[in-house]
Amino acid sequence: MLVRVAPGQVRFVLPGLASTSSGVALGADILFRFATLERVVSFLRMVTAEANLDDVAASVQILLVRQGQGAREVLVRLTQISPHGIDVPIRAARAAQGQGFTGTGRHFAALRDAQSPLGYDVDHLGEGAHELILHAHQGDLAFKTEGELSLRELVMRLELVRDLRGPEGLTPNSLPPLCFLTVRQGLGETMISYFHRAEVTAFASLCEVDGQTGETSRFYFFRLHDPPKRLFRLLHTTPGVSMFLPVASGVAVAAGYRHPIHLDACGGLFGGDRLLLLQPAPLPARLLEPAPRAVAVERLISVARPVESPPVAESVRSAALDMSVGLTLVRGSIGKEHPMATLIPWEQLPWARKVFFALPASLLAHHRVVPLVSGLLVISSDGLTALPFGTLYKSAARGVLIPLGYSLRPGVSAGLLEERLGTGSGRVVLFPEDGPPVGIEPGRLAPLEASLLARIEVGAAEAHIQIGEPGATEAPRELRYRDGDLMPLWGAR
Amino acid sequence: MSARRLLEDFLLPLVRGGTVSVFRPIDRPAMERLLGATFVAAVVGDLSVPSSAADALAVIPSPRMPRVARESELTLQLGRHAYLQTLPVNVEAPLLDVDTWRLAIVLHNLIALSATPEVVHEEGSRPMRRRASLIALTAKMASLHAPDTLASALERHSLHQGLLKLRRTEHQVTFWAGQRSYVGRPVPAHMRPFARLRRIRVATTTREWPALEPAPGTRPILDALETASPVASALALGTGGYTVSWPHMLSVMRFAPLGRLLAARILDRGLSSVGESLAIALVEYAQQPISRSEELRAATQFLAHCLWLSELSPGPQHLPGPVLSALLHTAFSHAPALVTPPDLNRNRGNALVAGTLRGMTDLLARLETVGQVYEVRHPGVMLQLLQRVSPRNPEPIHVR
């Protein structure tokens, strides 16, 4: 039978009950009685949401008990650290429809409430050899312990909750700074080489766990630091690859899920040299003990062993294999290219003459000219700087001139071009934009200064071209209105 | 209007030659489809406010560049580069950048707005309001700042020059019931049958774009375009179609290669005629409050430079007209540094330099006689101009 504790009362009938500094009667342990395990989970969830479990209780014990022939009940026994720390679990137990008791050993009295602010004592201890006796308002309740469930085991048995955002606010645009992967054994090598190629800071190790049926399963464990965002889909959608996000020291939860209990408040449970990987149902939780010692993937890259005696390829007759393709000009982009020659149309010759006239001797000495059908080709050995008109040519190889903005295909080396086109002995081969290449023998190239004095004879008539005017060959621009006949503004807003 | 059509059917033929197809004017939704709504909103802003020089200085976000075929882009790049190679300047191939798209839209709309020269809309009518809105929109799109580099000036000019070479075929069809004109489009087939019975006569004329009157109301677009791309109007000096605008000339002359080109053009077309109109325009410009003394000084030095070139180049010499003579002679008398190259005094010992200087001094002295024709009618005008040009000139200035 419960009796109210009087103010100033220091002696109690219930063993282990003592008065705190505020006069409240409290035992060393706090016991909470719940009808079902689900309520215990709710209780733990609320407690961990508000406080760290290590700050609340020195130890947590979950007992499966039965009262006589009654239903099975669950008792949660907390060893209190300080009288102030028990307020959170008391509030949580009331919210989870549990009853609170305090005491030590076998006997527990109801916790204080509004009727008795200083707590309860008992008038006499009951008789009997029961394992636990709870002195409640409705009478004394005797319980027999049927089993015990450790908190870690409870955590491992709970089913994960689907959370699209993930416990770390995970979205396709963000990956956490640290994540774990379990990869099936067959994929391991591929993932190692992929992470190495993608320059991801990754560490890997091969783990072995004993399955429920006794067989040993192997898988690769990866630890990724600052994974790039582009890996999100790969890590989420590749079969055989599971991603875990660490939520507390030694615990990681599958990405896209969260544990019903706030595991970050249960740090003490999972300490030590082990790692618990919680997977969504129906997969069981994986406890890796000791924790995997991962090494950097760079060290795990398999290096191909050099072949000691490479097989000799069978040679085929050269006549049977014809791989030759024609050398063609293809258009590319115009970048920083240095012109080496220019083909000045005959229409622009008077203009060029004026420029030649003004050129200093040092520049004149570097230029050679040759009259062609399409115009006067001026080649400079030092790079063309003084003549920014005409069709500009650059040097693809020694003696091989191609227009600016073009390149030769196939892209063979300059040495081969020089050898095949025979330009080593001073011959010049010009590739015009339209038309076949033109070969110019070295004897036809005359120094510009000598040609200037000798007045180059040209066949075409001298056309009057004003400075800044395009050549006479330019096509006219004919205006043609397309849309709308008489109402061109129709539809304009 | 898709970006592909604008580039391939309009811009490429405009730059390289061929049939330049002009479609319905590009209105605001079409501009937004091309360059993005944010960009167009930032460029166009409030249409009820007329475009000003401040529009070009506004901070404008980067547009969403239209996607076009790489081949067409390269062809345009090479076409523009080929044109620029005909100028005596060394410049890289222009890229298809945002200024190119803006100018393309402006040129297209400018040509499209001149499609129906014979149609006159009533003031306040719906078509008139649409047209005014379109002109304001295009003028805002043309409000680019004056080119700040030689490359940007030439890149814009490589597009703008196509407009000046455009030609338009006009068919005037006369038949028994009246007459009809088709500008820039062929005569439709239904006008042809029974030609003798219907007494159909077709008169075809081809007119160059610079010879055409600007379409009514498009002056704001032309002004903005000339500010954005002043090279064309500067190089077309003396050919008619363009009036002399010193602000535009000065924005071209600040780049030395273009300044040389401009001087060569003036000499080609005759210093006595073109130089005279330039001097008249300079006097008028000096009387406007927007003119600055640095600009007037640069313009005077440029005209003196042209006179020196004229003196040095072989061939018959023509004396400049009265206004230019009065300007240069007054400058020579009161601020000789304006009309004499600075390095001439250093090389006075050289026989060639000494001879040239002597000839030039004689010429400048002879200009007094010609310049008096102007000075008598407008006494003190040149001295006032010179005082603005060279306010710290230690030499005394006396009004005669």
Side-chain angles (χ1 to χ4, degrees):
Chain A
M1 182 73 181
L2 289 175
V3 291
R4 293 178 185 172
V5 173
Q9 183 179 344
V10 291
R11 300 187 64 180
F12 302 99
V13 177
L14 198 76
L17 210 59
S19 176
T20 63
S21 58
S22 55
V24 177
L26 271 183
D29 293 346
I30 308 290
L31 192 80
F32 295 105
R33 174 186 172 212
F34 296 98
T36 60
L37 203 57
E38 284 76 19
R39 290 183 183 174
V40 175
V41 174
S42 302
F43 164 73
L44 288 172
R45 197 171 169 186
M46 283 185 271
V47 171
T48 52
E50 282 194 51
N52 196 330
L53 210 54
D54 298 338
D55 299 338
V56 172
S59 69
V60 181
Q61 197 178 11
I62 300 171
L63 302 170
L64 305 175
V65 295
R66 198 185 289 274
Q67 184 188 2
Q69 297 301 316
R72 179 189 273 185
E73 294 181 40
V74 187
L75 300 180
V76 178
R77 186 169 184 163
L78 306 179
T79 305
Q80 64 149 326
I81 293 174
S82 81
H84 307 291
I86 60 168
D87 290 342
V88 173
I90 289 173
R91 273 204 310 273
R94 280 184 192 142
Q97 299 177 19
Q99 277 183 301
F101 300 89
T102 183
T104 314
R106 289 169 57 212
H107 291 276
F108 288 84
L111 276 169
R112 67 192 177 97
D113 54 17
Q115 282 78 37
S116 175
L118 298 179
Y120 293 96
D121 192 9
V122 291
D123 49 0
H124 71 279
L125 296 174
E127 297 295 327
H130 299 290
E131 290 181 26
L132 272 173
I133 298 170
L134 306 184
H135 302 278
H137 291 288
Q138 63 267 39
D140 295 347
L141 311 170
F143 288 96
K144 188 175 74 177
T145 307
E146 289 195 335
E148 187 178 344
L149 185 67
S150 73
L151 184 55
R152 188 188 304 152
E153 200 178 341
L154 176 67
V155 165
M156 287 170 66
R157 281 169 57 179
L158 287 177
E159 195 172 313
L160 298 184
V161 181
R162 185 81 179 145
D163 185 358
L164 288 177
R165 286 186 66 250
E168 297 290 328
L170 194 67
T171 62
N173 289 326
S174 70
L175 279 172
L178 175 68
C179 65
F180 302 142
L181 297 182
T182 59
V183 176
R184 285 196 188 159
Q185 194 181 0
L187 284 175
E189 294 287 334
T190 315
M191 293 296 278
I192 286 172
S193 56
Y194 174 75
F195 286 142
H196 178 65
R197 267 201 327 275
E199 298 181 352
V200 178
T201 311
F203 299 85
S205 72
L206 187 62
C207 300
E208 282 186 0
V209 288
D210 295 331
Q212 290 172 338
T213 53
E215 83 280 13
T216 303
S217 67
R218 288 182 171 187
F219 62 91
Y220 274 92
F221 172 83
F222 287 88
R223 193 172 78 234
L224 305 186
H225 293 266
D226 292 323
K229 280 189 287 188
R230 62 175 192 276
L231 293 185
F232 185 87
R233 283 186 64 79
L234 172 87
L235 301 182
H236 266 73
T237 55
T238 308
V241 176
S242 307
M243 184 172 159
F244 295 88
L245 307 176
V247 292
S249 169
V251 197
V253 178
Y257 293 87
R258 61 178 168 79
H259 198 272
I261 295 175
H262 299 273
L263 296 178
D264 48 344
C266 314
L269 272 182
F270 307 101
D273 187 17
R274 58 184 165 231
L275 177 64
L276 178 65
L277 300 177
L278 295 169
Q279 306 184 95
L283 300 172
R286 274 179 170 168
L287 183 63
L288 308 180
E289 194 167 10
R293 306 275 186 274
V295 293
V297 289
E298 292 87 353
R299 299 188 187 169
L300 297 172
I301 286 293
S302 55
V303 179
R305 201 155 51 104
V307 181
E308 288 172 5
S309 57
V312 180
E314 284 184 28
S315 61
V316 293
R317 283 184 301 149
S318 58
L321 183 66
D322 185 11
M323 290 176 62
S324 60
V325 290
L327 198 62
T328 47
L329 272 180
V330 292
R331 186 176 283 172
S333 62
I334 295 183
K336 297 274 182 190
E337 296 170 334
H338 299 291
M340 299 297 288
T342 178
L343 184 63
I344 301 170
W346 291 119
E347 297 84 28
Q348 292 183 349
L349 190 63
W351 186 17
R353 221 181 255 150
K354 285 181 185 173
V355 176
F356 292 150
F357 185 76
L359 281 184
S362 56
L363 272 180
L364 272 182
H366 292 128
H367 289 80
R368 289 177 300 162
V369 293
V370 56
L372 300 177
V373 176
S374 49
L376 182 72
L377 182 68
V378 183
I379 302 174
S380 169
S381 57
D382 233 18
L384 202 70
T385 52
L387 291 169
F389 48 87
T391 309
L392 297 176
Y393 286 83
K394 64 179 178 181
S395 172
R398 190 164 61 156
V400 182
L401 296 173
I402 58 171
L404 283 193
Y406 284 82
S407 57
L408 283 173
R409 287 283 179 278
V412 293
S413 67
L416 184 65
L417 267 182
E418 190 183 319
E419 178 198 329
R420 293 292 172 89
L421 294 171
T423 55
S425 58
R427 186 169 181 251
V428 173
V429 176
L430 182 79
F431 283 81
E433 280 178 281
D434 42 359
V438 181
I440 301 160
E441 295 307 319
R444 292 187 60 199
L445 286 167
L448 176 60
E449 46 191 1
S451 308
L452 269 182
L453 286 179
R455 285 289 182 199
I456 303 165
E457 292 300 326
V458 293
E462 192 175 305
H464 176 68
I465 298 292
Q466 280 187 323
I467 296 176
E469 290 292 343
T473 54
E474 199 175 354
R477 292 155 175 80
E478 182 70 36
L479 173 59
R480 184 79 177 272
Y481 290 109
R482 298 284 183 191
D483 277 351
D485 204 11
L486 281 172
M487 298 291 288
L489 290 177
W490 183 84
R493 276 176 275 169
Chain B
M1 164 78 75
S2 68
R4 186 190 62 77
R5 280 175 89 185
L6 182 62
L7 176 64
E8 294 177 5
D9 297 343
F10 173 72
L11 208 51
L12 273 179
L14 189 70
V15 170
R16 301 174 71 218
T19 304
V20 180
S21 300
V22 177
F23 305 93
R24 195 176 296 163
I26 302 171
D27 54 4
R28 186 164 183 155
M31 284 182 194
E32 290 176 350
R33 282 196 296 277
L34 280 172
L35 298 175
T38 313
F39 177 76
V40 173
V43 170
V44 172
D46 186 2
L47 269 186
S48 59
V49 181
S51 59
S52 66
D55 291 340
L57 302 174
V59 178
I60 291 171
S62 300
R64 185 193 63 217
M65 294 297 281
R67 286 189 180 177
V68 288
R70 180 75 181 137
E71 184 69 17
S72 310
E73 191 180 341
L74 271 177
T75 313
L76 179 70
Q77 199 178 3
L78 289 171
R80 294 170 76 184
H81 193 232
Y83 169 75
L84 293 179
Q85 279 183 332
T86 63
L87 299 177
V89 283
N90 200 355
V91 69
E92 289 181 6
L95 297 174
L96 186 58
D97 55 358
V98 58
D99 285 0
T100 304
W101 283 113
R102 284 179 70 169
L103 282 178
I105 291 172
V106 170
L107 293 173
H108 179 272
N109 280 7
L110 183 63
I111 301 172
L113 283 165
S114 65
T116 50
E118 76 284 359
V119 177
V120 178
H121 300 295
E122 282 180 29
E123 195 67 39
S125 64
R126 198 170 166 193
M128 189 66 186
R129 288 203 308 273
R130 276 186 199 151
R131 185 182 171 87
S133 156
L134 202 55
I135 288 172
L137 181 71
T138 311
K140 291 270 188 181
M141 193 50 78
S143 300
L144 292 163
H145 55 80
D148 49 359
T149 58
L150 172 65
S152 67
L154 289 172
E155 283 168 9
R156 292 176 190 179
H157 177 57
S158 66
L159 292 180
H160 192 184
Q161 51 89 22
L163 184 70
L164 309 180
K165 293 174 192 142
L166 201 61
R167 69 182 191 193
R168 192 168 80 178
T169 308
E170 300 175 5
H171 306 282
Q172 185 79 26
V173 183
T174 315
F175 56 107
W176 60 5
Q179 61 180 17
R180 188 164 287 176
S181 64
Y182 296 93
V183 176
R185 53 180 78 89
V187 178
H190 67 82
M191 292 299 294
R192 301 273 190 190
F194 309 114
R196 185 171 293 176
L197 178 66
R198 295 166 65 201
R199 296 197 293 280
I200 293 173
R201 285 195 306 278
V202 181
T204 301
T205 50
T206 302
R207 299 169 71 187
E208 305 287 331
W209 181 268
L212 295 174
E213 283 289 319
T218 54
R219 178 46 61 187
I221 305 176
L222 289 170
D223 287 345
L225 187 62
E226 278 178 36
T227 305
S229 172
V231 181
S233 60
L235 293 187
L237 201 66
T239 56
Y242 281 98
T243 53
V244 178
S245 163
W246 270 105
H248 295 161
M249 292 269 294
L250 287 161
S251 63
V252 173
M253 277 161 42
R254 58 186 285 234
F255 307 115
L258 293 181
R260 289 190 201 107
L261 185 61
L262 197 55
R265 276 296 171 85
I266 292 169
L267 292 187
D268 274 352
R269 290 167 190 168
L271 185 64
S272 53
S273 58
V274 181
E276 185 67 3
S277 52
L278 282 173
I280 293 170
L282 181 63
V283 172
E284 286 171 3
Y285 182 57
Q287 289 162 356
Q288 293 175 14
I290 56 164
S291 60
R292 290 180 294 136
S293 58
E294 298 86 10
E295 293 177 338
L296 301 178
R297 189 181 308 129
T300 312
Q301 284 175 332
F302 176 74
L303 290 173
H305 175 74
C306 292
L307 185 68
W308 276 91
L309 287 180
S310 159
E311 177 68 13
L312 288 170
S313 59
Q317 300 293 325
H318 299 287
L319 273 182
V323 185
L324 182 59
S325 299
L327 173 71
L328 294 181
H329 174 72
T330 314
F332 183 64
S333 308
H334 299 279
L338 275 178
V339 293
T340 315
D343 53 347
L344 215 57
N345 285 330
R346 287 200 297 274
N347 302 313
R348 217 177 256 273
N350 187 313
L352 179 67
V353 172
T356 311
L357 189 59
R358 207 164 34 248
M360 193 64 188
T361 313
D362 291 347
L363 174 66
L364 285 167
R366 266 186 287 144
L367 291 185
E368 185 181 11
T369 321
V370 187
Q372 272 178 352
V373 177
Y374 178 80
E375 291 277 1
V376 167
R377 291 182 185 172
H378 307 88
V381 171
M382 285 303 169
L383 276 174
Q384 282 173 9
L385 193 155
L386 260 296
Q387 202 166 21
R388 284 199 61 197
V389 168
S390 176
R392 293 179 190 168
N393 183 15
E395 299 167 34
I397 293 181
H398 304 289
V399 179
R400 290 185 222 175

